[in-house]
């Protein structure tokens, strides 16, 4: 029995050395979400962002998962701790330096880790997106910029090249833009495809009027962010769609203006799926996106 085992191992090793193109590697999926259960109150997006990575991992793909470290998250209860080797970088937004702090926690039952993007200026307040009066924070535009760029810089430090980046929620809408315009020549992201999920989470008042200026970064021109001259919920989602390779309707009903934009686009689109079907459907959609060619914006 031992001889047979060593013989098979030897053959596989030789085959891998001589014919590496035939060795199938696991696809890597990076999940970037505005919210994840159980760290925040349970919502449809939070549940999907919790259950989907586990389901995709169980189907044989490698995963990494990121969300913002809002101040209302109980670090002691959820056993968050800082990852010193990943922290310490400063991100410049609107000409100001903001230290990037990375924390991590484990969901033992799912055998998965969640990385948290933290910063004292943006994520220490004891709330998620709104103040006590129900008004959206004036700096939600900068919080979105910091979160998206923080994820990318952390993944670079990890040296982990994702095949798919799946973005959940409007706070992640800048991820496709940054990946396709600012980091497309980086070896880690050169072959990366982006999937953007839309949800029924609309806000009525546009974000900061200078949003389009603050977003500008290496490789991004003013013409790339024309949509953000009016930084409405619909336009922010349109921007996410414009630079994504695939779009998923994460809610049964989405903004009608965004729906029309999707219908006019040439993107791969997956319609809303029930909780019984979405993990398998998303997994198949990832494979379809990986095989596709797409034109951006």
């Amino acid at each position: 029995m031992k001889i047979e085992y060593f013989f098979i191992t030897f053959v596989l090793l030789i085959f891998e050395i001589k014919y590496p193109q035939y060795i199938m590697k696991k696809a890597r999926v990076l999940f970037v979400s505005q919210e994840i259960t159980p760290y925040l109150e349970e919502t449809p997006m939070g549940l999907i962002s919790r259950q989907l990575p586990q389901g995709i991992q169980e189907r044989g793909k490698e995963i990494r998962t990121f969300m913002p470290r809002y101040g209302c998250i109980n670090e002691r209860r959820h056993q968050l701790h800082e990852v010193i080797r990943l922290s310490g970088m400063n991100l410049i937004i609107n000409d100001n330096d903001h230290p990037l702090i990375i924390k991590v926690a484990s969901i033992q039952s799912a055998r998965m880790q969640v990385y948290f993007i933290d910063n004292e200026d943006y994520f220490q307040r004891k709330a998620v997106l709104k103040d006590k009066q129900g008004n959206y924070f004036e700096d939600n535009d900068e919080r979105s910029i910091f979160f998206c760029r923080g994820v990318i810089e952390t993944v670079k430090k990890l040296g982990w090249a994702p095949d798919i980046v799946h973005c959940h929620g409007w706070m992640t809408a800048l991820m496709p833009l940054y990946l396709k315009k600012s980091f497309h020549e980086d070896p880690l992201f050169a072959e990366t495809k982006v999937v953007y999920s839309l949800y029924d989470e609309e806000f009525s008042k546009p974000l900061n009027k200078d949003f389009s200026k603050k977003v500008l970064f290496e490789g991004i021109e003013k013409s790339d962010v024309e949509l953000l001259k009016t930084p409405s919920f619909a336009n922010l989602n349109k921007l996410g769609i414009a630079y994504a390779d695939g779009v998923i309707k994460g809610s049964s009903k989405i903004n009608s203006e965004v729906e029309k934009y999707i219908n006019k686009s040439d993107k791969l689109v997956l319609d809303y799926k029930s909780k019984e079907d979405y993990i398998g459907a998303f997994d198949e959609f990832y494979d379809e996106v990986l095989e596709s060619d797409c034109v951006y914006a």
Side-chain angles (χ1 to χ4, degrees):
M1 191 69 178
K2 287 185 178 181
I3 294 176
E4 291 178 357
Y5 172 79
F6 285 118
F7 177 74
I8 292 172
T9 302
F10 177 75
V11 170
L12 289 173
L13 178 62
I14 295 300
F15 186 83
E16 183 173 354
I17 292 172
K18 294 189 68 177
Y19 308 103
Q21 66 272 29
Y22 295 108
I23 302 300
M24 295 293 290
K25 75 179 184 73
K26 289 183 178 182
R28 293 176 166 182
V29 184
L30 174 64
F31 295 95
V32 185
S33 184
Q34 189 170 305
E35 53 190 77
I36 301 175
T37 301
Y39 303 107
L40 298 174
E41 290 184 12
E42 190 173 294
T43 64
M45 186 198 304
L47 281 172
I48 288 176
S49 299
R50 158 62 183 86
Q51 295 166 353
L52 180 61
Q54 179 181 353
I56 294 303
Q57 181 174 248
E58 290 171 352
R59 281 165 172 74
K61 290 179 170 63
E62 290 186 32
I63 65 162
R64 292 288 187 278
T65 306
F66 281 79
M67 72 172 287
R69 208 295 292 181
Y70 304 106
C72 55
I73 294 174
N74 190 312
E75 293 198 4
R76 179 176 296 180
R77 181 193 307 157
H78 296 296
Q79 299 182 4
L80 274 68
H81 62 271
E82 185 176 351
V83 186
I84 302 299
R85 68 184 179 88
L86 299 177
S87 299
M89 178 181 294
N90 277 10
L91 302 183
I92 301 174
I93 299 174
N94 201 26
D95 295 327
N96 293 311
D97 280 359
H98 299 276
L100 175 61
I101 300 169
I102 307 302
K103 295 177 181 178
V104 70
S106 297
I107 300 178
Q108 298 295 342
S109 60
R111 295 184 296 108
M112 61 181 265
Q113 289 184 318
V114 176
Y115 290 90
F116 295 83
I117 300 297
D118 198 2
N119 171 266
E120 185 173 345
D121 298 321
Y122 294 133
F123 296 113
Q124 289 296 311
R125 66 199 71 166
K126 300 294 183 181
V128 179
L129 299 173
K130 304 176 184 178
D131 61 23
K132 292 180 179 179
Q133 287 71 44
N135 300 312
Y136 279 82
F137 293 118
E138 290 294 328
D139 64 350
N140 274 342
D141 61 328
E142 294 188 14
R143 298 171 88 207
S144 174
I145 294 170
F146 185 86
F147 176 54
C148 292
R149 283 178 49 192
V151 170
I152 294 171
E153 294 296 347
T154 304
V155 171
K156 286 176 63 177
K157 278 194 174 184
L158 287 169
W160 193 80
D163 298 296
I164 290 277
V165 175
H166 189 171
C167 306
H168 298 262
W170 64 260
M171 187 171 269
T172 71
L174 299 176
M175 284 291 294
L177 172 71
Y178 283 130
L179 288 169
K180 299 302 182 180
K181 287 291 183 176
S182 299
F183 294 91
H184 64 286
E185 293 184 351
D186 189 297
L188 283 178
F189 304 111
E191 304 296 327
T192 297
K193 298 293 183 74
V194 186
V195 172
Y196 184 66
S197 273
L198 299 153
Y199 293 90
D200 181 16
E201 38 147 7
E202 193 160 351
F203 54 83
S204 55
K205 182 183 175 182
L207 299 180
N208 190 287
K209 60 182 178 61
D210 294 324
F211 196 3
S212 62
K213 299 176 184 177
K214 299 175 186 178
V215 169
L216 297 180
F217 192 60
E218 297 173 14
I220 299 176
E221 305 292 338
K222 290 182 180 179
S223 59
D224 298 323
V225 291
E226 282 287 323
L227 283 165
L228 293 185
K229 284 189 174 179
T230 302
S232 64
F233 173 82
N235 284 345
L236 188 53
N237 278 284
K238 288 178 186 178
L239 186 73
I241 294 165
Y243 291 97
D245 299 277
V247 179
I248 294 176
K249 297 177 184 178
S251 300
S252 57
K253 292 183 180 180
I254 61 173
N255 178 281
S256 59
E257 187 180 339
V258 175
E259 182 92 55
K260 291 177 183 177
Y261 187 83
I262 295 172
N263 294 336
K264 291 180 180 179
S265 75
D266 59 353
K267 307 296 180 178
L268 290 173
V269 179
L270 182 66
D271 287 327
Y272 174 75
K273 299 295 178 183
S274 67
K275 63 180 180 180
E276 292 80 18
D277 302 323
Y278 76 83
I279 292 177
F282 287 14
D283 191 38
E284 292 178 5
F285 189 66
Y286 295 157
D287 294 336
E288 184 181 357
V289 169
L290 286 172
E291 295 173 1
S292 71
D293 293 317
C294 192
V295 177
Y296 307 106

